[in-house]
Amino acid sequence: MSRFPDSILVREALSRFFHEHGLGPDGGYNSRWVRIRIAGPLSIYFPNVDSRRRSVLLHDLQHIGAQYGTTLIAEAEIAAWEIGGGCADHAAAWILDTGALLYGLPFAPRRIFRAFIRGRHSRTLYHEPFDPALLDQTVGALRRQLHLDDRPTPATRRDLMAFAAWSTAVVAADLAVVAVPVLGAIGLLRLASG
């Protein structure tokens, strides 16, 4: 992902972001389905529900401000950053970010940890209603609003405890995702044999 200069307008950076990632002129916000490319031709599709639409513009603006890319691991990083900073009442953001941590933690634990701690000392856009005037400010002003112009802050004991709690919850969810189908298959096999 390109690093956007502090001097350009957020509106221009967002347009470049859409173009750079082949998202179309509206970022795909009005599409009925969302496509996430996994690798090569492998993709996952899911419905573009209203709660996701409410959150995705803010998420994309945070990509621009926080400078995280859009690879799978970079999406897990921004998810960790958003969880660290809080997603407020954006249920879709909480759910999708937690899902991104499912794959991010095992494959890039240090990057996920750094992003989470950065989020704990930043501010996300999820805490206030979207204001269209945000698009007419500079990227530098957006970074200041997100507290991303500050120097990195070392992790506190509370930060470490929060990361441990989230990691434990995500690992438990990951195990449940694997265990439920396995236990269901074992149950079916027992029914079939007995």
Side-chain angles (χ1 to χ4, degrees), residues 34-173:
V34 176
R35 176 183 180 196
I36 297 176
R37 291 185 183 121
I38 303 299
L42 184 60
S43 295
I44 295 173
Y45 292 86
F46 60 91
N48 193 16
V49 296
D50 288 340
S51 61
R52 180 190 177 273
R53 285 186 178 114
R54 178 176 170 248
S55 301
V56 72
L57 172 59
L58 301 175
H59 173 81
D60 288 347
L61 293 173
Q62 291 172 161
H63 267 288
I64 291 165
Q67 301 295 319
Y68 292 113
T70 58
T71 65
L72 284 176
I73 295 302
E75 287 291 351
E77 282 181 296
I78 195 165
W81 179 81
E82 288 180 350
I83 287 173
C87 298
D89 65 345
H90 287 259
W94 285 114
I95 292 166
L96 293 170
D97 285 350
T98 301
L101 288 184
L102 281 173
Y103 64 80
L105 274 171
F107 294 107
R110 287 185 180 142
R111 288 172 63 177
I112 300 308
F113 174 77
R114 282 192 302 268
F116 180 86
I117 300 305
R118 185 180 184 210
R120 297 272 297 173
H121 298 274
S122 302
R123 179 163 173 74
T124 69
L125 296 173
Y126 295 129
H127 298 281
E128 298 167 14
F130 172 69
D131 180 357
L134 181 67
L135 299 173
D136 295 319
Q137 68 182 26
T138 65
V139 170
L142 172 63
R143 288 194 182 110
R144 286 188 295 281
Q145 181 178 342
L146 297 173
H147 300 267
L148 291 169
D149 58 335
D150 300 334
R151 289 180 169 217
T153 306
T156 65
R157 179 173 286 143
R158 288 183 69 185
D159 294 338
L160 295 173
M161 288 172 43
F163 184 76
W166 270 101
S167 298
T168 301
V170 165
V171 168

